[in-house]
Amino acid sequence: MERMKITEDLSFSRIIHGFWRLADWDYTKEETLSLIEHDLEQGITTFDHADLYGSYKCEELFGEALSLKPSLRDQMEIVTKCGIVIPSEQRPQHRTHHYKTSKSHILESVDQSLKNLSTDFIDVLLIHRPDPFMDPEQVADAFTQLKDAGKVKHFGVSNFKHHQWSMLQAHLPFPLVTNQIELSAYELENIEDGTLNLCQENKVPPMAWSPLAGGAIFKQGDEKTDRLRATLEKVQGETDANGIDEILYAWLLTHPARIMPIVGSGKKERIQSAINSLNITLNHDQWFEILHASMGHEVP
């Protein structure tokens, strides 16, 4: 599989597997391990997590599977996130849903993630959401301490806009390496507001969450959904794609920003669809036809 160079010492698989629904899949440790091994065999080596996924359960479920075969850790890149706090039985001390990016919270979150994931280090740590109460000096201190201790190799953000990225980056002694953003042919906000341009400006490959728009395009819906699905089906007929999901992935992969889609399914056939899309290159007309269908009008 194609690999994306993130830094001189870090690369990701072009397709990333996200485990935010792992607790819902109801897999045994052995079944989760089998899925991880399947990913690695197919060239997917980058795995996306967050401390709160599955109400703070998913990291631990992944770690329990990995502990059955610890040697696999050397074949993968683990990305995880912190900074969102939610009430949960797993965290009875949490009273409200809020953001928390204090130095102490980041350090505590990473120590817990390392334990949960059964690993000695995290390849990339992301701040999960922009925090209006963020003190960038505290975040920088936490990141520097974690890097010096060897607990985290690299750092990035998730869902950050230009001004939020710039504020944090100005306080760091090393570059942020990625921005994980919502991006699909249905959800164009981060294209329209310049966030994707920011990634290109900084030569940072973005990770795209919800690349299939949460499955909305596969259902009967509003006028936009129906219009976009019809165009995707038209383009599918012009290519070797097996379904419109492959066209949705290909639409992102064709863009020059070096987008890395995150697959959120635990089904091997859905993962294969994302892999298949690597062999599909949309031409300029097809790419803009899909864009026009999503916007509801042609570009000016």
Side-chain angles (χ1 to χ4, degrees), residues 49-68:
H49 297 271
D51 57 354
L52 62 78
Y53 285 168
S55 193
Y56 298 97
K57 295 177 183 177
C58 290
E59 283 186 334
E60 186 174 4
L61 292 172
F62 186 92
E64 289 173 350
L66 184 58
S67 67
L68 298 176

Side-chain angles (χ1 to χ4, degrees), residues 52-289:
L52 62 78
Y53 285 168
S55 193
Y56 298 97
K57 295 177 183 177
C58 290
E59 283 186 334
E60 186 174 4
L61 292 172
F62 186 92
E64 289 173 350
L66 184 58
S67 67
L68 298 176
K69 199 170 182 179
S71 61
L72 296 180
R73 178 64 182 96
D74 294 335
Q75 303 176 40
M76 65 176 64
E77 304 83 42
I78 292 179
V79 179
T80 196
K81 301 179 279 294
C82 70
I84 301 178
V85 173
I86 60 171
S88 167
E89 292 181 1
Q90 310 302 315
R91 300 290 190 275
Q93 70 274 25
H94 293 174
R95 292 177 54 193
T96 62
H97 177 186
H98 61 277
Y99 301 148
K100 195 170 186 179
T101 52
S102 65
K103 178 179 179 179
S104 60
H105 181 77
I106 293 171
L107 296 177
E108 291 168 4
S109 296
V110 167
D111 283 342
Q112 187 63 54
S113 290
L114 290 170
K115 178 181 177 181
N116 289 345
L117 291 163
S118 297
T119 185
D120 295 327
F121 69 95
I122 293 164
D123 292 279
V124 182
L125 175 71
L126 310 180
I127 297 297
H128 203 155
R129 288 274 179 179
D131 176 8
F133 203 68
M134 177 185 289
D135 180 342
E137 292 184 358
Q138 285 205 27
V139 177
D141 285 347
F143 280 7
T144 301
Q145 183 172 324
L146 290 167
K147 189 175 183 67
D148 290 345
K151 293 181 179 181
V152 181
K153 302 297 184 182
H154 302 278
F155 301 86
V157 294
S158 180
N159 304 296
F160 272 48
K161 301 302 184 183
H162 194 294
H163 59 287
Q164 295 155 342
W165 170 286
S166 299
M167 178 190 70
L168 181 55
Q169 182 62 79
H171 289 79
L172 293 172
F174 40 75
L176 297 166
V177 301
T178 192
N179 190 4
Q180 185 177 128
I181 56 178
E182 183 177 10
L183 197 58
S184 69
Y186 184 88
E187 180 49 70
L188 302 176
E189 176 184 330
N190 285 305
I191 293 177
E192 295 171 338
D193 70 7
T195 301
L196 190 60
N197 295 139
L198 169 69
C199 296
Q200 292 176 281
E201 175 186 341
N202 288 278
K203 300 180 181 179
V204 168
M207 304 167 68
W209 63 269
S210 200
L212 303 184
I217 295 174
F218 304 97
K219 307 169 186 176
Q220 291 293 330
D222 55 22
E223 181 181 346
K224 175 181 176 178
T225 302
D226 294 342
R227 183 177 64 239
L228 182 54
R229 185 172 57 251
T231 302
L232 291 166
E233 290 171 350
K234 173 181 177 293
V235 174
Q236 177 193 344
E238 299 169 352
T239 69
D240 294 327
N242 298 303
I244 62 172
D245 53 346
E246 294 181 12
I247 299 299
L248 284 165
Y249 285 120
W251 191 80
L252 295 176
L253 293 166
T254 301
H255 194 280
R258 302 188 295 156
I259 298 165
M260 300 175 290
I262 302 173
V263 181
S265 176
K267 297 180 179 179
K268 293 178 181 178
E269 60 270 24
R270 295 297 181 94
I271 298 168
Q272 188 60 49
S273 292
I275 295 171
N276 292 345
S277 69
L278 291 166
N279 298 316
I280 301 169
T281 301
L282 303 183
N283 62 42
H284 222 60
D285 290 318
Q286 292 167 333
W287 198 92
F288 271 91
E289 282 179 324

